[in-house]
Amino acid sequence: MTHSDVHGVIVVDKPPGVTSRRVVDSVSRTLSTKTVGHAGTLDPLAAGVVVVCVGHATKLVDFIHQQEKAYSVSFLFGRSSPSDDLETELTIESDPKHPSLDQVVASVSNQCGVIQQLPCVYSAKKIGGKRAYKLARLGQSFTLKPKEVCISHLGITSYAWPKLELTVVCSSGTFVRAVGRDIANDLGTTAVMETLLRTAVGPYKLTNSLPLAAITPDESGQELLKGAFLPL
């Protein structure tokens, strides 16, 4: 199989602790082609769907990236961090509030629909040509502007303080970490994201994904990718 006859989309299940770049590199190495790209970065700490486009399908990257995305996510109340997750140092509240389920339900509903969301400080947003997370790591102060996003679904799957588990369907550009941050702020407390699993990007589902570990640079890996490609 050569690069000239490989065109299509493959859904990869990225494990936590791995970059989206590594997913692309694995597919590129196995297929012996450099015409590979992903339709939307997934943070290293997160797991789940990374849509990889190969050959002519790379022209669809921007289109796929703009599709709605679905997640399963867990947050921990009563603690905060600069990155709004477990990547940076935690600050534990000495006397945290314990919101009731009814209070959480009301706050969750406030986050649904078209909202103005303040991006996370530790993000890839550009400030004067530099990534916000790089400036944050250098201890530099800066101001981010709220951005309009659409959260079409927020469902509570479990709540037992301090953990809140949600399912989320949202527009491209939504910060899921910020959803928990803002729910907590509305409740008079703080929260960090504990885990994040992306379950879909548009029509591309986790249930149809290929584990990253299965993409090996040998004949068996190539054959597996052949069968996993979604035709254009």
Side-chain angles (χ1 to χ4, degrees):
M1 184 164 56
T2 63
H3 69 276
S4 61
D5 58 13
V6 181
H7 310 283
V9 174
I10 182 170
V11 183
V12 179
D13 180 5
K14 184 189 84 66
V18 173
T19 65
S20 299
R21 181 71 249 175
R22 180 175 161 189
V23 174
V24 170
D25 289 345
S26 294
V27 173
S28 175
R29 185 169 54 250
T30 296
L31 298 179
S32 299
T33 177
K34 294 183 179 180
T35 314
V36 184
H38 64 74
T41 299
L42 187 59
D43 288 347
L45 292 179
V49 171
V50 174
V51 180
V52 179
C53 300
V54 181
H56 296 328
T58 55
K59 297 177 182 179
L60 300 175
V61 163
D62 289 343
F63 173 76
I64 296 172
H65 178 54
Q66 292 303 315
Q67 302 302 301
E68 273 196 327
K69 297 172 177 65
Y71 300 89
S72 293
V73 59
S74 66
F75 298 100
L76 296 174
F77 286 133
R79 60 217 73 194
S80 61
S81 78
S83 59
D84 299 312
D85 59 17
L86 301 180
E87 184 181 4
T88 54
E89 185 177 356
L90 290 177
T91 298
I92 308 298
E93 291 187 61
S94 58
D95 186 24
K97 290 185 177 181
H98 291 214
S100 67
L101 177 59
D102 286 344
Q103 290 173 321
V104 172
V105 168
S107 183
V108 166
S109 68
N110 291 338
Q111 295 299 314
C112 286
V114 177
I115 63 170
Q116 293 291 322
Q117 185 186 68
L118 186 66
C120 296
V121 172
Y122 276 70
S123 69
K125 298 290 288 184
K126 284 191 173 182
I127 307 295
K130 296 183 178 180
R131 300 293 184 184
Y133 69 86
K134 291 185 178 180
L135 296 177
R137 286 172 180 163
L138 292 172
Q140 298 185 20
S141 60
F142 53 89
T143 301
L144 292 169
K145 295 181 179 179
K147 177 185 177 182
E148 184 176 280
V149 299
C150 181
I151 301 177
S152 58
H153 166 80
L154 266 182
I156 298 173
T157 55
S158 176
Y159 174 55
W161 194 94
K163 181 179 288 191
L164 171 65
E165 297 179 6
L166 302 172
T167 52
V168 184
V169 179
C170 56
S171 62
S172 177
T174 302
F175 288 91
V176 181
R177 284 174 286 156
V179 172
R181 177 201 68 194
D182 294 343
I183 289 172
N185 184 62
D186 191 39
L187 293 166
T189 184
T190 56
V192 294
M193 187 176 74
E194 179 189 34
T195 62
L196 180 66
L197 175 68
R198 188 154 71 190
T199 55
V201 175
Y204 303 108
K205 313 292 185 183
L206 184 62
T207 50
N208 297 323
S209 66
L210 186 67
L212 178 61
I215 304 175
T216 54
D218 51 31
E219 188 173 344
S220 64
Q222 292 178 7
E223 290 301 316
L224 193 61
L225 280 183
K226 281 182 181 180
F229 267 101
L230 302 175
L232 298 180

